[in-house]
Amino acid sequence: MREDICQEPLLVVNNLTLKHRAMAGSTTILRDVSLNLQRGEILGLIGESGAGKSTLGNAILGLLPPGFERTAGAILFDGKALDGMDERQWDAIRGRRISAIFQDHTASLDPLMTVGAQLEETILATNENVSRQDARTRGVELLRRVGIPEPRERYHSYPHQFSGGQRQRVVIAIALAGTPDIIVADEPTSALDATVQKQILRLLRQLVNETQVSVILVTHDMGVISEIADRVVVMKHGEVVEQDVTSAILDTPREEYTRSLLAAVPRLRISASEDRKEAAENSDGRPSRDEMIESDATAPILLAQDITKTFAGQGLRWFRKNARKSALRDVSVRLGRGAITGIVGESGSGKSTIGRIIAGLETAGEGKLEIDGTSFDISLPGRRSGLLGQVQMIFQDPAVSLNPRMSVGETLQESVRFGSRQPGDEKPNVAVMMDRLGLPRSLLTRYPHQLSGGQKQRICIARALLASPQIIVADEPTSALDVSVQAEIVKLLKESVVEQGVSMLFISHDLALVQELCSSIYIFKEGRVEDAGPAEFIFSHSQNPYTRSLIDARPRRFTR
Amino acid sequence: MMSTVTGRLSQAFLLLLVMSLIGFVGIHSVGNPVYNIVNIETATAEDIRKATIALGLDQPLWRQYVLFIGNVVTGNFGTSYIYHLPAFRLVMSKLPATLELASIAMLIAAPAGTLLGLLAGRRQGKPADSAILKASVFALSIPSFWLSMMLILLGAIMTGWFPSGGRGPTVSLLGQDWSFLTLDGLRQLTLPALALAIPNIALIARLARSGTIEVESQDFTRFCRAKGLSSRRILFRHTLPNISVPIVTIVGMQFGGMLAFAVVVETIFAWPGVGKLLIDSIQLLDRPVVMATLTFVSVAFVGLNALVDLFYALLDPRVRRSA
Amino acid sequence: MKAETILALWKRPMGHGPSLPKFLLGAYMLLAIVAPLIALQNPYDPLQIYGWEASSPPGTVGTGGFMYLLGTDGLGRDIASTILYGLRISLVVSITSTAIGALVGLTAGVSAAYFGKWVDVVIMRVVDLQLSLPTILVALIAIVTLGPGIDRIILALIIVQWATYARIARGVALSEINKPYLDAARLLRLPISRIIFRHLLPNSIAPAITLIPIELGHAVALEATLSFLGLGVPIDKPSLGSAVANGFQYLLTGQYWISLFPGLALFGLIASINFVGEDIRRRLDPRSRSI
């Protein structure tokens, strides 16, 4: 905390209650919310989906969509009430006094205008007596300040010519153009890879220190809060649960809800650094992959060797459709019987592609694949090579993983009926599986849109297990879920592997999750296996610089 | 960009081939054009035989087709059975009238539609929006031939403000005759142009409306407000350029559509354009002219689509770069 | 689509009765069905026509003692009866062609998406080619090739319509194919027919269903336009389009009713179809539901 704490706060929210009126009636979105913001501080607003944190951010910006209505309380900025102002009065506030950064850096910028022009128009709109020439000079200076290399040259580029992290830097530059007192940052790093996220947070902290701007940081991520927030407001269902300085919230939370949020965050465990050095000397920095394969005496259930896949030359239309899929180069993966093996990488690393190839959903140009001693020709479509049906998958987004026009019961029965059992094997029982996964049997007659995200993901797990596969590929199964639900799903996956005797490939971008679940780990980068080894080795002894940078990008607070 | 152009070209080529085959076989199956040329009452078998040979209709169908294709490659669609003029030249001579009509109609429809659409989109859910939406459904429900006739009834017969048909006096410019250069000519143009424009105003307005709603719901519009731009600047510098991409597409496609729908409007207003020529020729089984007209309109349509693609690239830097 | 959904579409929210367009559309259907029972005459039976009563204005009482409510045309046919009989043909032609066109187009589109490769190439080449031309032009080419007759018009309208359904269904099916639930279905190694009919088709037809009323309106308008141009329904059969055309030459001499009333009936029919279609689309498309 800073010494100017006793000053008059810059922004005060007093007992604010907001309702949303719709055809179906009115719902309370915010109830009796109070908080204040000091100059030059970063205030974190944290909560799970439906907490009302984004609504509060929008209310402070005067950007609530139609239908919202303030029924009690007030927002005071610099002593003046913000709500009830007309658009003209807002024009004098937005951009000049209060600005914003949104989550989706791609959607935040007009795709048809150069970033320079977008900066310039903001500078001209928010500052008096600025010539176009001055605006341009200032624009270049702002780009330089947010860390865009060669700002003068990049000034005339279009948004799509920047990387995701750079685009978010441009957005920050634009937010700063009117030298505002407050920036409302709504999930500013959630769409970015961990390493880039770290850099953007560092930039925000640096800008706050330099310019004394205040930041309201809306996020669902305790990690982000722990990295840069000075104080934290914990929200749940439109109400403030508790608020305090960050260290107090993290170390001595008073409320049960805060404790449960903190407990749900996966933590990375790293042994003392001396161990790491020692191990490095022993292994002479040799690639750990070989060691691992040699050390595993039993025959693996899955062995993929030197898989290579390119997307070029498959027709323009398909190429565009699959622009987000990544090519693979000489990828080898091995999965022990009854084990959970993790595949970690950032977006575009090819981690999902290898999962889909192993499941038989995609073909590959070269490489060998063996499941339980039987080899499959992965250059053929999965139905023809016989690979399809051997492996089941659990997908990232449960909202689109279930056929919306089939009831839960129909979906699960189909899985039982068409699953890959040997003749004579006992048919698994749907109801028993529902009990085991903690799902009420009454859900069997429901349709997917009537279920919560966590319930849907459990159904997906049940569907995969009911087909009695030997291997399950779980592709980011928790990243579309709230933290508290995430923890339950992880626990469930762990139990299922043990109870059902399946082996699992667990694909994730989250190191801590992988550490919690997996016995061995592959680190993917740009379509290649960058590092691999037993989990213990990777986290504590790996000397691979990319692995180290991934570990360093984790919030320190949740690493121990 | 090259791939788009070659794609369009191969599409046009394929189109021509299919069209020529269908049209050729089709007209052949419908009736024998000889009977439209000779006087049926007085003609002897000898007359009919001579006329058949003169038109080349004594040859087997496949040979007629090969001959036809060979001629088309050199730009020769044959000679009109009725007018005894080269078919292609006949079509070209009617083209200025149709182009003029369609252009004036689009000059009315594009700005009016865009404006109404923007208005409706910005006032989504308000009375102005639902009024424009309702009016657009009505406008799109009026069959164009009946709309033309009602325009004649209201604009010409009941009030006498505008002439009921024909092209009236023309002024020569660049070797072609045009109506829009004189006041009288413009009066002649008004009703048929309105008949073509009204459904297009509705179509463009609906598109502009949904485009406006979509663009305004996107994050960058919200960010523009958050960064302090006035709603006026957002409208003109951000919303309008972003909705112009789909609007240019529909304007290009509808311009081609107007060339085709001119068939109806020109017939009713006795406007001496390509559309009227087509209908007359179909009824008279004047195969060379039908083929030349259909081919021309199809090629013009594909050409317009190609132009729209090019324009797309000019408007959208993302397309420009990937090209 | 489930029966309740269709029922729910018909009912207005908060238990109001059917709206005006729905009522009008229902009335049109009913009139078309009972036309022979309520029409004064069969206007295309020469024995029932009195030539000397040609071009009577609305309200004239004729020889048979009946009042010509909407007047008679140039040949003495009762306009009200012509409209009733014309409605029958218009609706039969457009409903039949839309239904078959939708069926053909949906199957073709979903098949193209699922099978890909050459099936996709062949089907979509034809679709692209056809959709690159204005519908009226396609209809003209088709009718010129097929020749006159009611069955030919239906065929021509099917040809005009199927491509739109095929493109939409293929687009939707392609995006559905990329969704994980279909991956899950493939991972179970379900029979291809089960994947198509149980998983893919039910999720791909919803956008196509919203297309049906729009296309039905198009079909009615297109049939009328072709008949107006003398290329559609043969002249010895009643049609709203040719009824309007019959009055064209009388328009200039002030006998407006011959064209006005059949055209008005046609306009009302297309407008009520379009408004009902609009309503359905708004309810099925969640993005525009708030409008």
Side-chain angles (χ1 to χ4, degrees):
Chain A
M1 293 302 290
R2 352 187 57 84
E3 60 285 323
D4 52 8
I5 179 82
C6 44
Q7 274 185 353
E8 187 73 358
L10 191 56
L11 181 96
V12 180
V13 177
N14 260 339
N15 308 97
L16 184 68
T17 300
L18 273 181
K19 287 194 168 154
H20 183 257
R21 286 193 201 290
M23 292 240 287
S26 92
T27 30
T28 306
I29 305 295
L30 292 178
R31 190 189 309 255
D32 208 14
V33 170
S34 297
L35 54 84
N36 55 55
L37 176 71
Q38 305 289 340
R39 196 173 287 278
E41 85 169 335
I42 300 180
L43 178 69
L45 285 186
I46 191 165
E48 298 190 289
S49 50
K53 53 195 194 301
S54 288
T55 306
L56 181 54
N58 283 332
I60 292 168
L61 282 163
L63 289 179
L64 285 176
F68 280 94
E69 191 187 34
R70 178 174 54 102
T71 51
I75 303 175
L76 297 169
F77 169 64
D78 226 1
K80 290 186 291 285
L82 276 186
D83 23 39
M85 293 200 317
D86 63 18
E87 273 305 301
R88 179 159 304 170
Q89 289 168 304
W90 268 116
D91 282 346
I93 298 279
R94 278 195 301 249
R96 297 160 184 240
R97 310 293 309 274
I98 305 178
S99 194
I101 307 166
F102 297 135
Q103 170 176 1
D104 190 342
H105 46 79
T106 310
S108 292
L109 299 170
D110 186 339
L112 305 185
M113 221 188 220
T114 62
V115 300
Q118 297 189 49
L119 257 171
E120 242 169 81
E121 67 169 4
T122 317
I123 294 167
L124 290 171
T126 52
N127 297 277
E128 272 89 30
N129 305 324
V130 181
S131 72
R132 198 157 276 278
Q133 199 53 48
D134 291 346
R136 175 155 306 180
T137 319
R138 264 206 224 179
V140 173
E141 168 60 23
L142 276 169
L143 284 186
R144 195 194 53 74
R145 190 147 169 208
V146 296
I148 301 283
E150 302 180 351
R152 208 172 297 277
E153 287 73 22
R154 303 304 304 276
Y155 196 72
H156 299 289
S157 304
Y158 286 94
H160 69 267
Q161 293 165 313
F162 290 84
S163 72
Q166 285 180 328
R167 264 200 294 269
Q168 197 62 303
R169 285 171 192 268
V170 171
V171 170
I172 293 172
I174 292 175
L176 287 172
T179 52
D181 301 302
I182 300 175
I183 293 178
V184 177
D186 192 349
E187 305 272 6
T189 58
S190 307
L192 301 169
D193 280 331
T195 44
V196 185
Q197 178 172 345
K198 187 95 169 183
Q199 296 162 5
I200 296 287
L201 291 179
R202 208 171 282 157
L203 172 68
L204 268 179
R205 173 42 91 191
Q206 179 198 336
L207 291 170
V208 167
N209 291 346
E210 283 171 13
T211 63
Q212 285 296 293
V213 64
S214 308
V215 173
I216 295 177
L217 181 73
V218 176
T219 183
H220 69 282
D221 189 343
M222 255 321 168
V224 170
I225 292 286
S226 72
E227 289 285 288
I228 66 165
D230 295 314
R231 283 191 307 129
V232 187
V233 177
V234 182
M235 294 184 70
K236 184 192 184 187
H237 300 323
E239 289 180 80
V240 172
V241 177
E242 66 174 310
Q243 48 183 318
D244 209 332
V245 286
T246 306
S247 57
I249 292 283
L250 293 177
D251 297 332
T252 51
R254 286 188 302 269
E255 297 296 321
E256 184 51 42
Y257 181 68
T258 314
R259 271 196 287 274
S260 73
L261 269 187
L262 282 166
V265 180
R267 277 151 214 265
L268 198 63
R269 296 177 308 275
I270 298 175
S271 26
S273 55
E274 300 90 67
D275 292 1
R276 199 187 302 162
K277 243 180 239 155
E278 208 173 292
E281 279 156 18
N282 290 344
S283 67
D284 294 327
R286 272 175 46 80
S288 53
R289 215 182 323 176
D290 304 341
E291 280 172 41
M292 186 182 78
I293 291 172
E294 280 158 24
S295 68
D296 191 354
T298 55
I301 183 92
L302 170 88
L303 194 58
Q305 277 179 307
D306 302 322
I307 292 184
T308 295
K309 181 178 177 75
T310 45
F311 278 100
Q314 289 204 350
L316 204 62
R317 188 152 37 92
W318 270 103
F319 190 68
R320 231 180 282 148
K321 259 227 141 57
N322 297 337
R324 279 173 52 224
K325 295 184 182 170
S326 321
L328 294 176
R329 264 179 298 157
D330 294 326
V331 168
S332 299
V333 172
R334 157 195 179 94
L335 172 61
R337 218 170 274 272
I340 307 180
T341 293
I343 294 182
V344 182
E346 304 200 306
S347 54
S349 62
K351 60 186 192 299
S352 291
T353 310
I354 187 70
R356 294 176 63 83
I357 290 174
I358 287 168
L361 290 172
E362 271 177 45
T363 57
E366 284 163 50
K368 282 193 282 191
L369 183 70
E370 251 178 51
I371 291 178
D372 204 11
T374 318
S375 57
F376 295 91
D377 185 351
I378 49 171
S379 62
L380 291 178
R383 198 175 277 274
R384 218 154 2 122
S385 67
L387 179 55
L388 213 56
Q390 303 287 325
V391 177
Q392 295 300 319
M393 281 185 78
I394 299 162
F395 302 93
Q396 172 172 0
D397 188 356
V400 286
S401 298
L402 294 167
N403 184 343
R405 293 187 191 266
M406 276 166 78
S407 71
V408 169
E410 288 172 310
T411 296
L412 295 183
Q413 282 302 342
E414 183 177 74
S415 194
V416 174
R417 191 174 143 203
F418 292 94
S420 58
R421 282 178 310 282
Q422 305 300 319
D425 279 5
E426 195 194 337
K427 269 194 180 182
N429 187 305
V430 169
V432 170
M433 182 63 76
M434 297 280 283
D435 296 346
R436 190 173 292 158
L437 297 187
L439 289 161
R441 292 186 185 189
S442 59
L443 294 188
L444 282 172
T445 53
R446 302 271 184 87
Y447 283 84
H449 67 93
Q450 298 167 306
L451 308 179
S452 72
Q455 283 174 328
K456 272 182 247 186
Q457 199 59 305
R458 281 162 200 252
I459 302 287
C460 290
I461 296 173
R463 173 176 61 190
L465 290 172
L466 284 169
S468 324
Q470 289 182 294
I471 300 169
I472 289 180
V473 173
D475 189 355
E476 301 257 17
T478 60
S479 29
L481 305 169
D482 276 334
V483 212
S484 52
V485 186
Q486 257 183 37
E488 292 165 25
I489 295 290
V490 166
K491 186 162 153 269
L492 215 55
L493 286 174
K494 212 171 189 171
E495 288 167 4
S496 302
V497 166
V498 176
E499 286 172 19
Q500 306 284 316
V502 295
S503 316
M504 182 179 288
L505 265 186
F506 185 82
I507 301 170
S508 179
H509 69 280
D510 190 334
L511 283 175
L513 265 185
V514 169
Q515 184 181 43
E516 196 171 329
L517 270 172
C518 305
S519 50
S520 53
I521 289 169
Y522 292 83
I523 307 245
F524 274 50
K525 185 193 179 193
E526 289 160 14
R528 283 179 299 108
V529 176
E530 179 72 23
D531 195 7
E536 190 61 20
F537 174 88
I538 290 285
F539 289 111
S540 303
H541 309 295
S542 175
Q543 294 297 303
N544 184 298
Y546 183 66
T547 307
R548 303 284 358 137
S549 77
L550 280 182
I551 293 173
D552 290 340
R554 288 278 313 171
R556 211 153 294 279
R557 162 78 210 187
F558 296 102
T559 306
R560 58 182 184 206
Chain B
M1 192 45 60
M2 266 327 279
S3 67
T4 331
V5 172
T6 49
R8 284 290 180 196
L9 277 178
S10 66
Q11 191 192 356
F13 183 74
L14 203 71
L15 186 70
L16 287 183
L17 215 65
V18 174
M19 287 272 306
S20 66
L21 197 63
I22 292 175
F24 206 84
V25 176
I27 295 180
H28 189 87
S29 68
V30 170
N32 190 338
V34 171
Y35 299 112
N36 287 56
I37 291 154
V38 298
N39 187 332
I40 295 185
E41 318 266 301
T42 61
T44 62
E46 180 62 16
D47 289 343
I48 292 177
R49 201 183 60 83
K50 271 189 187 152
T52 307
I53 292 172
L55 296 178
L57 294 173
D58 55 330
Q59 305 282 337
L61 191 63
W62 65 267
R63 179 167 289 172
Q64 287 183 43
Y65 183 67
V66 171
L67 264 172
F68 170 76
I69 288 292
N71 286 332
V72 165
V73 171
T74 61
N76 178 6
F77 282 86
T79 306
S80 162
Y81 301 156
I82 312 292
Y83 303 95
H84 303 292
L85 284 169
F88 191 67
R89 219 170 77 202
L90 199 62
V91 173
M92 284 301 136
S93 72
K94 303 282 187 189
L95 188 61
T98 301
L99 274 184
E100 181 177 46
L101 186 58
S103 306
I104 298 276
M106 199 41 98
L107 280 178
I108 300 171
T114 311
L115 215 70
L116 286 172
L118 270 175
L119 196 76
R122 306 257 308 174
R123 303 220 189 318
Q124 189 190 354
K126 305 248 171 70
D129 176 36
S130 62
I132 290 173
L133 261 185
K134 277 212 174 74
S136 75
V137 175
F138 274 121
L140 287 171
S141 300
I142 313 177
S144 67
F145 61 89
W146 192 63
L147 174 65
S148 306
M149 286 169 66
M150 290 305 112
L151 283 174
I152 291 179
L153 187 64
L154 287 174
I157 295 166
M158 287 169 66
T159 59
W161 290 337
F162 300 101
S164 65
R167 198 176 177 200
T170 54
V171 174
S172 212
L173 181 77
L174 300 170
Q176 297 290 352
D177 294 332
W178 304 98
S179 300
F180 71 96
L181 296 169
T182 62
L183 201 62
D184 249 11
L186 279 177
R187 281 185 62 217
Q188 296 276 358
L189 263 170
T190 306
L191 290 183
L194 269 183
L196 276 181
I198 285 172
N200 282 293
I201 293 175
L203 201 68
I204 294 169
R206 290 179 74 88
L207 196 81
R209 173 185 179 273
S210 58
T212 307
I213 291 171
E214 197 184 318
V215 169
E216 301 233 312
S217 73
Q218 269 172 22
D219 255 3
F220 75 78
T221 320
R222 215 156 62 93
F223 187 56
C224 280
R225 294 179 67 188
K227 75 188 188 183
L229 299 191
S230 66
S231 50
R232 219 185 129 94
R233 186 177 170 88
I234 297 175
L235 176 65
F236 286 106
R237 291 290 288 141
H238 296 278
T239 308
L240 208 55
N242 272 285
I243 64 167
S244 68
V245 176
I247 287 180
V248 164
T249 315
I250 199 81
V251 165
M253 292 199 31
Q254 282 309 110
F255 191 77
M258 276 182 177
L259 292 182
F261 265 99
V263 167
V264 175
V265 173
E266 285 179 6
T267 306
I268 292 171
F269 286 96
W271 188 262
V274 178
K276 189 163 162 26
L277 180 70
L278 176 64
I279 291 299
D280 291 347
S281 308
I282 290 176
Q283 272 153 0
L284 295 168
L285 299 177
D286 194 350
R287 186 163 75 197
V289 180
V290 174
M291 291 307 303
T293 316
L294 288 181
T295 310
F296 176 77
V297 175
S298 310
V299 170
F301 202 73
V302 173
L304 272 169
N305 282 339
L307 269 183
V308 167
D309 283 352
L310 282 173
F311 217 79
Y312 231 83
L314 282 179
L315 286 174
D316 194 332
R318 287 164 296 184
V319 180
R320 209 183 303 158
R321 191 190 174 213
S322 66
Chain C
M1 172 144 319
K2 293 249 185 296
E4 314 93 85
T5 325
I6 293 170
L7 209 68
L9 284 174
W10 188 259
K11 285 190 198 140
R12 301 205 74 191
M14 294 170 257
H16 288 300
S19 62
L20 180 67
K22 277 177 202 150
F23 176 77
L24 201 60
L25 191 57
Y28 269 115
M29 299 279 181
L30 196 70
L31 284 177
I33 293 168
V34 302
L37 301 177
I38 58 167
L40 288 186
Q41 49 173 232
N42 177 354
Y44 287 79
D45 178 359
L47 296 176
Q48 298 185 27
I49 311 277
Y50 307 102
W52 61 87
E53 288 174 352
S55 307
S56 313
T60 308
V61 178
T63 314
F66 302 115
M67 188 169 75
Y68 294 122
L69 199 63
L70 304 177
T72 62
D73 71 4
L75 296 173
R77 290 177 290 211
D78 174 36
I79 300 222
S81 306
T82 311
I83 291 175
L84 289 173
Y85 274 84
L87 262 182
R88 283 169 81 92
I89 298 221
S90 287
L91 282 173
V92 165
V93 167
S94 49
I95 290 175
T96 317
S97 61
T98 304
I100 301 178
L103 209 67
V104 172
L106 284 178
T107 316
V110 171
S111 308
Y114 185 80
F115 291 105
K117 301 207 182 85
W118 66 268
V119 181
D120 191 23
V121 171
V122 169
I123 293 178
M124 291 325 287
R125 253 307 125 76
V126 179
V127 168
D128 283 343
L129 200 66
Q130 207 191 306
L131 289 183
S132 72
L133 296 175
T135 50
I136 179 93
L137 198 63
V138 177
L140 278 177
I141 294 170
I143 206 77
V144 164
T145 314
L146 295 167
I150 289 187
D151 50 337
R152 310 295 173 86
I153 294 204
I154 293 178
L155 195 57
L157 291 182
I158 292 171
I159 292 173
V160 169
Q161 292 183 74
W162 79 281
T164 318
Y165 289 103
R167 177 176 280 181
I168 299 259
R170 175 179 176 272
V172 178
L174 271 185
S175 73
E176 292 294 317
I177 280 175
N178 284 332
K179 284 188 184 166
Y181 77 85
L182 254 152
D183 283 337
R186 290 167 64 202
L187 286 174
L188 285 171
R189 216 186 163 88
L190 301 182
I192 289 174
S193 60
R194 189 179 170 91
I195 292 184
I196 290 186
F197 290 107
R198 198 80 179 81
H199 293 272
L200 196 50
L201 208 59
N203 289 295
S204 304
I205 56 172
I209 282 177
T210 67
L211 208 63
I212 285 179
I214 304 165
E215 286 294 311
L216 187 65
H218 276 164
V220 173
L222 214 51
E223 179 273 318
T225 306
L226 290 175
S227 300
F228 175 84
L229 292 171
L231 300 169
V233 175
I235 42 169
D236 59 339
K237 295 270 185 343
S239 151
L240 292 175
S242 53
V244 175
N246 288 338
F248 182 37
Q249 58 192 98
Y250 298 94
L251 193 65
L252 300 176
T253 54
Q255 283 128 321
Y256 62 91
W257 58 87
I258 306 177
S259 286
L260 178 68
F261 293 119
L264 213 54
L266 188 60
F267 174 42
L269 175 62
I270 300 172
S272 59
I273 291 174
N274 282 344
F275 272 111
V276 171
E278 182 101 325
D279 199 36
I280 291 179
R281 196 161 36 153
R282 196 176 315 163
R283 283 182 210 194
L284 283 185
D285 182 2
R287 274 187 309 169
S288 60
R289 203 170 282 167
S290 57
I291 298 167

